[in-house]
Amino acid sequence: MLLLGRDLRHGVRLFWKSPGVTLVALLALALGMGAATAIFSVADAVLLKPLGFREPERLLVVWEKNPAQNKFRMFAAAGNFLEWRSQSRVLESIGAFQDVHVNLSGGPNGSIDPEELAAQRVSAGLFPLLGVQPLVGRGFSPEEEESGRANFALLSYSLWQRRFAGNRSIAGQTIRLRGQSYTVVGVLPPGVQILDRAADVWIPLDLDSNDARTLRSRFLTVIGRLRPGATLRQAQAELDTIGGRLELADPALNRGWRPNLIPMREELTGSVHQPLLILMGAVSFLLLIACVNVANLLLARGAARGKELAVRAALGARRSRIVFQLLAESLALAAAGGILGLALAWGGVGLLTRLGAAAIPRLAGARLDWRVFLFALAVSALTGMLFGLAPALQLSAANPQAALMESGRGSTAARSSRLLRNGLVVSEIALALLVLIGAGLLMRSFVRLRAVDPGFQPANLLTLRLPLSPNVPIDRRVAFLDRLSGRLAALPGVRSIGAVNNLPLTGLGVGATFAVDGRPAPPPEQRPIGLVRGVTPDYFRTMAIPLVSGRFFAESDTAQAPSRIIVNQTLARRFWPRANPIGGCLVLDPSGRIAEIVGVVGDVKPERLDGDDWPTIYSPYPQTNFNIMVMVVRTAVPPEALASSVERAVHQSDPDQPVADMRSMDAVVDRAVSTARFHTLVLAVFAQIAFLLAATGIYGVVAYDVSQRTPEIGIRISLGAQPGDVLRLILGQCARLAALGIALGLAAALALTRLMESMLFGVKPTDTRTFAVVSLLLGAVALAAGYLPSRRAMALQPAAALRHE
Amino acid sequence: MITLRNVEKFYEGGYGRTYVLRRINIDVKEGEFVTIMGPSGAGKSTLLSILGMLDGAWTGEFEFFGHAVHRMKPKDRIELNKKYIGFVFQSYHLIDNLTVYENLDIPLSYRNVKSSERAAMVCDTLDRFHIVGKRDLFPSQLSGGQQQLVAVARAVIANPKLILADEPTGNLHSSQGKEIMELFKRLNDDGATIVQVTHSEANAAYGHRIVQLADGWVVS
């Protein structure tokens, strides 16, 4: 211990003597380890942390798929869910839920401030299936699932605390949801989320087994639990068999449809699995670069201590003692870097969580925990051994007599030591190029994504969701919207107002099958699906969605007027490829209503900027029955400036009307690209760190090389070398290292970037421009990093250089 | 050939100037073999570095082959060095990662000699110094005497008019040293002007005259 303490003290003194080298080494280690720890903490939370349910490995999500229609993750029809639940033997239990929004307008003590709540309609057995026990009260009973007997509610822990003061006697009390009385049966524990979707309240599924229309609608997310010992394959086979029976029983609903079983973990993290692996790979490269950087710095420092170690050997130190001393010094540096890195990781996890919570499922729960701390310590120790061992072994094996007499023989740098350092810097450049190319591809992809025309003008648009009561007739809802529009139009700064049931870039929303009137109608299971939208007359103008042909809706398109629709260009091109669809008609399922096409508008991205365009059918709002509408307000000023005036106008129109999700359209677009932005940002930060580390590494190696070659440079000048010859000598070596590193990096990039294909939009993984620009940039930086020491070499006085040792 | 008038070299220190050379006045004629001697710290090697254009930080007047070196820019001094001077160092100062052949080739490459001519000149020199068999060896594979031989060969390969030798036999044993000095004598007989720095009376005897330095002054 005494010896260790002495070695550590000596090491700290040596590091203090060369603060520049020490600082660079510490920063390199801290950045490498901090970034690695942060990303692995995130990966742990997202990919590895238990799902928070009982035996989550047995949980599945059951979608419906129709490969012929290229649909693989459709909500399940309610009737099919009931049949699976009654017929399956491989799944020990099956539950279902639907995301909805409900208005909270009353509490146990009467009216309260209205609030729109995120809610889920759930089957009675869903929470027992998941293993979730209420904190207060009880769960739903099977009878409470039946239509007409379903006015019960389970509260979330946060809602219970926030609106009901955590009152433990809430169970049995009445609240008002959707304009009706609901009895609270219990409160769930904190943090209950199904498939990462937060809810404030749960109400029973309320399925009417006699309501064919509801049973034939696909709107349920189904969760199943495998019987112990059963496999996914067995469950898939069984449900396929059941699906075959259901197809025979109801071909109109089920022809071509089968269940699609996905393990719950894969459902949650499947879309981010690959990108997270890419980020983990990139941060591992970053850590390698940091280690190589530090290795080179310490190799150089170690080489300069050759005489000291030779003297120690001459004074009797055994080889093992010298190895121990050098290892102790290296481990001390690694430990210090590890502690700094841990601090960086702490901040990094917080930053990643804030940046990516909207983009990455389960990220909000990411924390630095003790396992990650141990990982960081292990990385520090391994790094210490890696870069402590090589110079330790190299130096301790040196012939002390030769080292002591070094000034007599050979005045220029040792060959093998130079080869090792050059090899390290080549590998550093190759790794940095790899990370830089990855970041470059993502950045180009993100720029392309942001350049995609969403089909409307998002700037200066304020949006707000108005959950109208479904019990109110459509004509009163129309009147409310008209009244509200009138108030909004009078506000200074408001240019136009519209409304729609589903904003672009927020999801596919409601869809229905249709057929073209006057043409042979395909069987129902083969009919195309179109997105269904209910809009007010000024919606298109407000959103700046262009009119391609025909007309927009007018005030005369009332509920009593003939059925009229506007279609988008995708629908028009597909079904009227060489004709104008104006005047044509569509037959809309399930009602069979025939509607005349009066206009064609431009396509609008329904879900993602890089997603497909869907056939879309717009109806005048009075001719629909949507109760949740989104107002869009085009403003002459930044939309946020009008937020409070708009909200006030809503409450003046109806004091009980909640306003939800008020945000600018720019924020909606931002949210739509948040995943791509997160990945791009993180990899860009890694690339900058890799860039900096590579430049520092090159500078360090070249500077050290110049100092070691000072006598040689003196000899060359004494033999007639001009400053230009010296520059060419040093920069030439730098250029050769850079060229080799870049060549290796390019080869690795060509092999590895194809793993990023799913993350890219509009850019090939082997995009030539990206490869070329990054290579040139890194080459230029390498030369620049080598130039400074070269200048010093050029200015050497030969006499002084020849005396240098 | 060489004229030094009031050449001085000093370092500015905390307590004022530390002189290495004081008012050096020396003339060296073409074809002479001059020995510079003196105790350690007398400034012998410094004087040699100045003569070899390796040290530009001095004052005074230095004429070399009619060129006023004291008025020349460093780049021009290097050109003068390349044209007329060959330098032999005490520590040989061969380049470790170059072979014997490459070490001989280096001065020619800096004199813009065509590569075909360079090859011929290197081969001639290897032959002249009887080190053809060593052409592909690295300095670390040679003995001290062999290294110094290669260093001398490198110094003369471009046929310099002036050879400067700083303790050329300092790291050699006596028989190797004698060989080197005999070689210098032959080179001088062939017309080369030689200025050597040495502690050895035996080596000094090869020269025509001795310049004694003490504490930076020429004392005789």
Side-chain angles (χ1 to χ4, degrees):
Chain A
M1 269 325 267
L2 260 174
L3 286 174
L4 177 62
R6 196 165 62 196
D7 288 341
L8 287 173
R9 271 197 307 278
H10 180 66
V12 167
R13 202 182 309 142
L14 278 174
F15 290 134
W16 201 248
K17 264 181 81 176
S18 46
V21 170
T22 306
L23 191 64
V24 169
L26 279 178
L27 274 178
L29 277 177
L31 284 169
M33 282 193 275
T37 306
I39 288 294
F40 279 96
S41 294
V42 163
D44 175 67
V46 174
L47 298 178
L48 301 177
K49 210 168 161 185
L51 294 181
F53 300 125
R54 176 174 58 89
E55 293 176 79
E57 67 282 359
R58 289 203 281 138
L59 291 174
L60 308 170
V61 180
V62 187
W63 300 107
E64 290 207 80
K65 66 181 178 190
N66 189 325
Q69 293 191 19
N70 204 28
K71 306 279 186 292
F72 294 93
R73 273 180 158 91
M74 280 299 281
F75 293 123
N80 289 348
F81 155 66
L82 292 173
E83 291 298 330
W84 296 337
R85 191 166 68 172
S86 73
Q87 292 186 39
S88 175
R89 297 291 168 263
V90 178
L91 297 177
E92 75 176 21
S93 49
I94 303 180
F97 69 94
Q98 178 197 16
D99 290 310
V100 293
H101 287 92
V102 298
N103 291 347
L104 172 69
S105 56
N109 302 320
S111 289
I112 57 177
D113 284 341
E115 181 185 348
E116 191 201 35
L117 302 178
Q120 287 174 336
R121 298 170 62 211
V122 298
S123 61
L126 183 62
F127 288 121
L129 181 161
L130 293 172
V132 176
Q133 298 291 334
L135 192 68
V136 173
R138 61 172 178 83
F140 298 131
S141 64
E143 302 77 43
E144 286 161 355
E145 196 178 287
E146 291 168 27
S147 180
R149 299 168 68 176
N151 278 25
F152 298 93
L154 271 168
L155 305 183
S156 70
Y157 182 85
S158 63
L159 180 71
W160 176 52
Q161 292 289 318
R162 189 162 52 79
R163 296 305 303 262
F164 303 105
N167 184 353
R168 290 197 81 88
S169 60
I170 190 70
Q173 302 214 30
T174 306
I175 61 175
R176 230 172 146 68
L177 297 174
R178 302 154 108 182
Q180 298 174 25
S181 291
Y182 278 71
T183 304
V184 177
V185 299
V187 178
L188 290 186
V192 172
Q193 285 190 6
I194 311 172
L195 291 183
D196 212 41
R197 296 181 222 164
D200 298 308
V201 66
W202 292 271
I203 56 179
L205 197 47
D206 186 13
L207 286 178
D208 183 352
S209 52
N210 296 317
D211 179 0
R213 188 175 157 170
T214 302
L215 292 179
R216 292 166 66 81
S217 297
R218 290 191 159 89
F219 63 94
L220 289 179
T221 305
V222 175
I223 309 286
R225 177 177 285 282
L226 284 171
R227 204 168 283 286
T231 63
L232 174 64
R233 195 191 287 257
Q234 287 169 336
Q236 182 70 60
E238 186 197 49
L239 288 195
D240 278 342
T241 305
I242 297 172
R245 290 202 286 270
L246 293 175
E247 184 175 11
L248 288 171
D250 189 350
L253 176 66
N254 289 320
R255 181 160 295 154
W257 290 91
R258 288 290 183 277
N260 184 14
L261 279 64
I262 312 278
M264 184 179 272
R265 181 177 288 284
E266 186 185 321
E267 178 63 31
L268 271 173
T269 62
S271 63
V272 296
H273 197 256
Q274 178 93 330
L276 267 181
L277 287 180
I278 300 278
L279 288 181
M280 285 159 70
V283 88
S284 302
F285 289 152
L286 193 65
L287 183 59
L288 263 178
I289 292 170
C291 291
V292 164
N293 224 339
V294 174
N296 250 332
L297 286 170
L298 287 180
L299 269 177
R301 209 178 66 96
R305 293 175 67 192
K307 256 221 168 60
E308 175 208 336
L309 298 181
V311 168
R312 285 175 182 267
L315 292 174
R318 284 198 301 272
R319 177 178 164 156
S320 59
R321 183 73 191 87
I322 294 175
V323 169
F324 183 80
Q325 179 194 339
L326 293 173
L327 266 180
E329 291 170 13
S330 302
L331 283 170
L333 184 69
I339 291 167
L340 263 182
L342 208 57
L344 279 179
W346 193 283
V349 170
L351 192 63
L352 285 170
T353 308
R354 270 194 302 281
L355 284 176
I360 311 287
R362 313 185 75 213
L363 179 56
R367 303 277 182 275
L368 254 188
D369 64 26
W370 63 269
R371 293 171 305 169
V372 176
F373 176 72
L374 282 179
F375 167 74
L377 268 182
V379 169
S380 300
L382 189 64
T383 310
M385 280 166 64
L386 271 172
F387 63 70
L389 209 54
L393 289 177
Q394 193 182 33
L395 286 167
S396 64
N399 181 347
Q401 193 168 20
L404 284 168
M405 290 170 61
E406 210 171 58
S407 57
R409 292 267 273 233
S411 54
T412 55
R415 202 183 178 86
S416 63
S417 172
R418 241 166 113 205
L419 276 173
L420 178 60
R421 286 198 309 282
N422 288 348
L424 285 173
V425 93
V426 163
S427 61
E428 192 170 8
I429 294 171
L431 289 169
L433 187 84
L434 203 47
V435 177
L436 280 162
I437 284 178
L441 288 171
L442 276 183
M443 283 195 276
R444 279 200 82 197
S445 170
F446 188 70
V447 166
R448 292 252 167 118
L449 189 65
R450 285 306 257 123
V452 167
D453 180 8
F456 57 91
Q457 295 289 332
N460 285 0
L461 260 183
L462 182 66
T463 74
L464 55 152
R465 193 168 72 239
L466 299 174
L468 308 174
S469 173
N471 303 320
V472 169
I474 182 65
D475 56 336
R476 279 179 53 193
R477 287 184 243 149
V478 171
F480 167 74
L481 286 183
D482 285 341
R483 214 163 48 241
L484 177 58
S485 297
R487 284 188 195 275
L488 291 175
L491 292 176
V494 170
R495 283 223 177 106
S496 65
I497 301 121
V500 68
N501 65 313
N502 223 93
L503 266 185
L505 295 177
T506 59
L508 297 178
V510 178
T513 54
F514 64 92
V516 179
D517 187 43
R519 296 182 194 174
E525 64 275 9
Q526 288 174 21
R527 287 186 187 182
I529 297 177
L531 304 181
V532 176
R533 301 286 182 258
V535 298
T536 56
D538 281 338
Y539 168 73
F540 297 109
R541 247 187 303 270
T542 304
M543 293 288 285
I545 297 171
L547 181 70
V548 177
S549 63
R551 65 168 179 88
F552 289 138
F553 295 134
E555 297 296 341
S556 55
D557 291 309
T558 61
Q560 291 73 38
S563 280
R564 296 200 173 109
I565 54 177
I566 292 173
V567 300
N568 70 342
Q569 276 183 295
T570 293
L571 193 152
R573 272 194 223 111
R574 200 177 295 179
F575 296 97
W576 284 271
R578 281 173 292 277
N580 192 338
I582 304 297
C585 293
L586 294 182
V587 181
L588 306 175
D589 296 326
S591 61
R593 175 167 74 100
I594 298 176
E596 182 193 354
I597 297 170
V598 298
V600 178
V601 294
D603 290 331
V604 154
K605 293 290 182 188
E607 197 174 30
R608 300 195 322 261
L609 282 177
D610 59 345
D612 295 326
D613 291 317
W614 278 67
T616 308
I617 303 163
Y618 298 92
S619 296
Y621 180 55
Q623 294 183 6
T624 69
N625 196 26
F626 298 118
N627 66 298
I628 297 179
M629 292 297 283
V630 181
M631 299 290 290
V632 291
V633 183
R634 176 72 65 183
T635 63
V637 296
E640 293 80 9
L642 288 181
S644 49
S645 315
V646 165
E647 195 166 353
R648 208 164 28 248
V650 171
H651 290 139
Q652 282 167 355
S653 304
D654 181 352
D656 292 330
Q657 176 58 51
V659 174
D661 245 2
M662 188 180 288
R663 51 184 170 159
S664 68
M665 199 63 207
D666 279 330
V668 173
V669 175
D670 263 354
R671 175 81 188 248
V673 299
S674 58
T675 304
R677 184 175 43 239
F678 176 78
H679 295 139
T680 305
L681 199 62
V682 172
L683 204 52
V685 167
F686 290 168
Q688 284 174 53
I689 297 174
F691 197 72
L692 195 65
L693 288 176
T696 315
I698 295 162
Y699 172 83
V701 159
V702 176
Y704 177 72
D705 214 45
V706 164
S707 77
Q708 287 298 291
R709 293 176 84 178
T710 298
E712 179 192 335
I713 294 166
I715 296 167
R716 286 177 182 263
I717 296 172
S718 72
L719 295 175
Q722 288 284 12
D725 295 314
V726 173
L727 181 69
R728 268 193 295 281
L729 176 73
I730 305 297
L731 269 192
Q733 191 218 355
C734 190
R736 276 191 295 278
L737 293 178
L740 190 55
I742 288 169
L744 288 172
L746 284 174
L750 279 169
L752 293 174
T753 51
R754 59 186 176 81
L755 298 172
M756 293 176 64
E757 192 149 16
S758 63
M759 297 167 75
L760 300 176
F761 173 74
V763 176
K764 283 197 302 226
T766 53
D767 180 54
T768 316
R769 194 197 267 186
T770 306
F771 275 55
V773 166
V774 169
S775 302
L776 285 171
L777 189 66
L778 196 56
V781 162
L783 286 178
Y787 179 68
L788 272 173
S790 304
R791 274 182 65 102
R792 278 202 294 275
M794 283 158 61
L796 281 174
Q797 289 289 330
L802 288 166
R803 282 195 292 273
H804 177 94
E805 210 173 347
Chain B
M1 188 191 197
I2 296 171
T3 305
L4 299 181
R5 291 285 175 266
N6 288 323
V7 166
E8 294 193 322
K9 182 172 172 73
F10 53 83
Y11 297 104
E12 296 283 2
Y15 298 104
R17 285 182 181 175
T18 305
Y19 279 89
V20 182
L21 293 172
R22 301 295 306 263
R23 289 193 220 150
I24 303 294
N25 294 292
I26 288 178
D27 295 288
V28 176
K29 294 192 190 57
E30 203 166 342
E32 276 200 285
F33 190 161
V34 176
T35 302
I36 301 175
M37 296 186 79
S40 289
K44 307 184 294 296
S45 296
T46 305
L47 178 57
L48 212 66
S49 294
I50 291 172
L51 289 176
M53 322 282 174
L54 303 183
D55 189 338
W58 45 268
T59 59
E61 291 174 8
F62 176 7
E63 297 245 343
F64 180 76
F65 264 118
H67 294 91
V69 177
H70 50 281
R71 282 197 223 110
M72 289 170 86
K73 289 184 196 147
K75 200 170 171 179
D76 298 329
R77 290 181 190 182
I78 292 176
E79 288 302 313
L80 208 58
N81 168 301
K82 274 200 300 202
K83 201 168 169 190
Y84 293 113
I85 300 173
F87 210 113
V88 180
F89 304 95
Q90 179 181 5
S91 304
Y92 331 133
H93 283 321
L94 298 179
I95 299 177
D96 289 336
N97 55 343
L98 300 180
T99 61
V100 167
Y101 182 101
E102 288 161 345
N103 267 285
L104 296 182
D105 182 64
I106 275 274
L108 300 177
S109 70
Y110 291 141
R111 284 157 173 79
N112 298 322
V113 178
K114 276 195 228 151
S115 54
S116 51
E117 270 182 59
R118 291 203 326 247
M121 289 168 80
V122 169
C123 289
D124 279 343
T125 305
L126 284 168
D127 196 34
R128 186 177 165 196
F129 284 79
H130 309 296
I131 49 174
V132 175
K134 312 262 186 285
R135 56 176 282 156
D136 293 324
L137 297 180
F138 290 95
S140 57
Q141 294 172 293
L142 305 175
S143 68
Q146 289 164 341
Q147 287 191 55
Q148 192 60 296
L149 200 59
V150 174
V152 172
R154 185 182 64 184
V156 305
I157 192 167
N159 298 316
K161 292 261 194 278
L162 172 67
I163 298 170
L164 303 171
D166 189 357
E167 300 273 12
T169 63
N171 288 339
L172 306 177
H173 64 68
S174 53
S175 59
Q176 288 172 327
K178 192 163 187 271
E179 275 180 45
I180 294 295
M181 291 313 300
E182 292 291 337
L183 176 57
F184 279 140
K185 187 81 177 87
R186 284 197 294 279
L187 290 170
N188 180 240
D189 290 342
D190 289 341
T193 308
I194 299 182
V195 178
Q196 68 163 341
V197 161
T198 186
H199 282 295
S200 161
E201 297 284 351
N203 287 0
Y206 283 87
H208 295 134
R209 61 183 173 101
I210 295 171
V211 173
Q212 284 280 4
L213 287 187
D215 293 331
W217 297 91
V218 174
V219 294
S220 66

PDB file of all heavy atoms in Angstrom, chain B residues 120-131:
ATOM      1  N   ALA B 120      24.720   7.677 -59.184  1.00  0.00           N
ATOM      2  CA  ALA B 120      26.128   7.477 -59.586  1.00  0.00           C
ATOM      3  C   ALA B 120      27.069   8.029 -58.520  1.00  0.00           C
ATOM      4  O   ALA B 120      28.072   7.380 -58.161  1.00  0.00           O
ATOM      5  CB  ALA B 120      26.367   8.161 -60.924  1.00  0.00           C
ATOM      6  N   MET B 121      26.732   9.212 -58.006  1.00  0.00           N
ATOM      7  CA  MET B 121      27.627   9.841 -57.021  1.00  0.00           C
ATOM      8  C   MET B 121      27.653   9.045 -55.723  1.00  0.00           C
ATOM      9  O   MET B 121      28.719   8.872 -55.111  1.00  0.00           O
ATOM     10  CB  MET B 121      27.160  11.278 -56.737  1.00  0.00           C
ATOM     11  CG  MET B 121      27.410  12.211 -57.921  1.00  0.00           C
ATOM     12  SD  MET B 121      26.569  13.805 -57.747  1.00  0.00           S
ATOM     13  CE  MET B 121      27.660  14.649 -56.654  1.00  0.00           C
ATOM     14  N   VAL B 122      26.503   8.544 -55.323  1.00  0.00           N
ATOM     15  CA  VAL B 122      26.458   7.757 -54.073  1.00  0.00           C
ATOM     16  C   VAL B 122      27.276   6.480 -54.243  1.00  0.00           C
ATOM     17  O   VAL B 122      28.073   6.103 -53.367  1.00  0.00           O
ATOM     18  CB  VAL B 122      24.996   7.428 -53.679  1.00  0.00           C
ATOM     19  CG1 VAL B 122      24.957   6.406 -52.555  1.00  0.00           C
ATOM     20  CG2 VAL B 122      24.249   8.689 -53.280  1.00  0.00           C
ATOM     21  N   CYS B 123      27.092   5.839 -55.385  1.00  0.00           N
ATOM     22  CA  CYS B 123      27.837   4.590 -55.602  1.00  0.00           C
ATOM     23  C   CYS B 123      29.344   4.849 -55.635  1.00  0.00           C
ATOM     24  O   CYS B 123      30.130   4.067 -55.081  1.00  0.00           O
ATOM     25  CB  CYS B 123      27.372   3.935 -56.902  1.00  0.00           C
ATOM     26  SG  CYS B 123      25.700   3.264 -56.751  1.00  0.00           S
ATOM     27  N   ASP B 124      29.706   5.952 -56.285  1.00  0.00           N
ATOM     28  CA  ASP B 124      31.142   6.304 -56.327  1.00  0.00           C
ATOM     29  C   ASP B 124      31.687   6.500 -54.916  1.00  0.00           C
ATOM     30  O   ASP B 124      32.788   6.038 -54.585  1.00  0.00           O
ATOM     31  CB  ASP B 124      31.349   7.619 -57.097  1.00  0.00           C
ATOM     32  CG  ASP B 124      31.351   7.349 -58.593  1.00  0.00           C
ATOM     33  OD1 ASP B 124      31.527   6.180 -58.977  1.00  0.00           O
ATOM     34  OD2 ASP B 124      31.152   8.321 -59.364  1.00  0.00           O
ATOM     35  N   THR B 125      30.929   7.186 -54.094  1.00  0.00           N
ATOM     36  CA  THR B 125      31.378   7.495 -52.734  1.00  0.00           C
ATOM     37  C   THR B 125      31.463   6.223 -51.898  1.00  0.00           C
ATOM     38  O   THR B 125      32.412   6.037 -51.122  1.00  0.00           O
ATOM     39  CB  THR B 125      30.434   8.522 -52.080  1.00  0.00           C
ATOM     40  OG1 THR B 125      30.350   9.662 -52.930  1.00  0.00           O
ATOM     41  CG2 THR B 125      30.925   8.937 -50.710  1.00  0.00           C
ATOM     42  N   LEU B 126      30.474   5.368 -52.073  1.00  0.00           N
ATOM     43  CA  LEU B 126      30.501   4.090 -51.335  1.00  0.00           C
ATOM     44  C   LEU B 126      31.767   3.322 -51.703  1.00  0.00           C
ATOM     45  O   LEU B 126      32.449   2.753 -50.834  1.00  0.00           O
ATOM     46  CB  LEU B 126      29.269   3.244 -51.702  1.00  0.00           C
ATOM     47  CG  LEU B 126      27.926   3.661 -51.086  1.00  0.00           C
ATOM     48  CD1 LEU B 126      26.771   2.934 -51.771  1.00  0.00           C
ATOM     49  CD2 LEU B 126      27.900   3.406 -49.588  1.00  0.00           C
ATOM     50  N   ASP B 127      32.061   3.367 -52.971  1.00  0.00           N
ATOM     51  CA  ASP B 127      33.249   2.656 -53.462  1.00  0.00           C
ATOM     52  C   ASP B 127      34.520   3.305 -52.927  1.00  0.00           C
ATOM     53  O   ASP B 127      35.445   2.639 -52.462  1.00  0.00           O
ATOM     54  CB  ASP B 127      33.210   2.701 -54.998  1.00  0.00           C
ATOM     55  CG  ASP B 127      34.156   1.695 -55.596  1.00  0.00           C
ATOM     56  OD1 ASP B 127      34.326   0.610 -55.001  1.00  0.00           O
ATOM     57  OD2 ASP B 127      34.735   1.998 -56.650  1.00  0.00           O
ATOM     58  N   ARG B 128      34.550   4.643 -53.010  1.00  0.00           N
ATOM     59  CA  ARG B 128      35.732   5.397 -52.591  1.00  0.00           C
ATOM     60  C   ARG B 128      36.066   5.145 -51.131  1.00  0.00           C
ATOM     61  O   ARG B 128      37.225   5.082 -50.732  1.00  0.00           O
ATOM     62  CB  ARG B 128      35.443   6.885 -52.821  1.00  0.00           C
ATOM     63  CG  ARG B 128      36.585   7.833 -52.582  1.00  0.00           C
ATOM     64  CD  ARG B 128      36.095   9.238 -52.933  1.00  0.00           C
ATOM     65  NE  ARG B 128      36.985  10.253 -52.406  1.00  0.00           N
ATOM     66  CZ  ARG B 128      36.674  11.545 -52.288  1.00  0.00           C
ATOM     67  NH1 ARG B 128      35.477  11.968 -52.662  1.00  0.00           N
ATOM     68  NH2 ARG B 128      37.537  12.398 -51.811  1.00  0.00           N
ATOM     69  N   PHE B 129      35.023   5.002 -50.311  1.00  0.00           N
ATOM     70  CA  PHE B 129      35.229   4.821 -48.870  1.00  0.00           C
ATOM     71  C   PHE B 129      35.153   3.349 -48.462  1.00  0.00           C
ATOM     72  O   PHE B 129      35.164   3.032 -47.278  1.00  0.00           O
ATOM     73  CB  PHE B 129      34.189   5.643 -48.076  1.00  0.00           C
ATOM     74  CG  PHE B 129      34.486   7.100 -48.030  1.00  0.00           C
ATOM     75  CD1 PHE B 129      34.197   7.930 -49.106  1.00  0.00           C
ATOM     76  CD2 PHE B 129      35.078   7.669 -46.908  1.00  0.00           C
ATOM     77  CE1 PHE B 129      34.494   9.286 -49.066  1.00  0.00           C
ATOM     78  CE2 PHE B 129      35.365   9.013 -46.852  1.00  0.00           C
ATOM     79  CZ  PHE B 129      35.080   9.840 -47.932  1.00  0.00           C
ATOM     80  N   HIS B 130      35.073   2.463 -49.467  1.00  0.00           N
ATOM     81  CA  HIS B 130      35.072   1.009 -49.217  1.00  0.00           C
ATOM     82  C   HIS B 130      33.931   0.591 -48.287  1.00  0.00           C
ATOM     83  O   HIS B 130      34.130  -0.208 -47.365  1.00  0.00           O
ATOM     84  CB  HIS B 130      36.427   0.559 -48.626  1.00  0.00           C
ATOM     85  CG  HIS B 130      37.597   1.037 -49.409  1.00  0.00           C
ATOM     86  ND1 HIS B 130      37.850   0.648 -50.727  1.00  0.00           N
ATOM     87  CD2 HIS B 130      38.587   1.919 -49.093  1.00  0.00           C
ATOM     88  CE1 HIS B 130      38.932   1.259 -51.154  1.00  0.00           C
ATOM     89  NE2 HIS B 130      39.398   2.050 -50.186  1.00  0.00           N
ATOM     90  N   ILE B 131      32.762   1.127 -48.527  1.00  0.00           N
ATOM     91  CA  ILE B 131      31.616   0.752 -47.686  1.00  0.00           C
ATOM     92  C   ILE B 131      30.430   0.295 -48.540  1.00  0.00           C
ATOM     93  O   ILE B 131      29.267   0.404 -48.159  1.00  0.00           O
ATOM     94  CB  ILE B 131      31.173   1.913 -46.762  1.00  0.00           C
ATOM     95  CG1 ILE B 131      31.031   3.224 -47.557  1.00  0.00           C
ATOM     96  CG2 ILE B 131      32.126   2.086 -45.593  1.00  0.00           C
ATOM     97  CD1 ILE B 131      30.471   4.377 -46.747  1.00  0.00           C
TER      98      ILE B 131
END
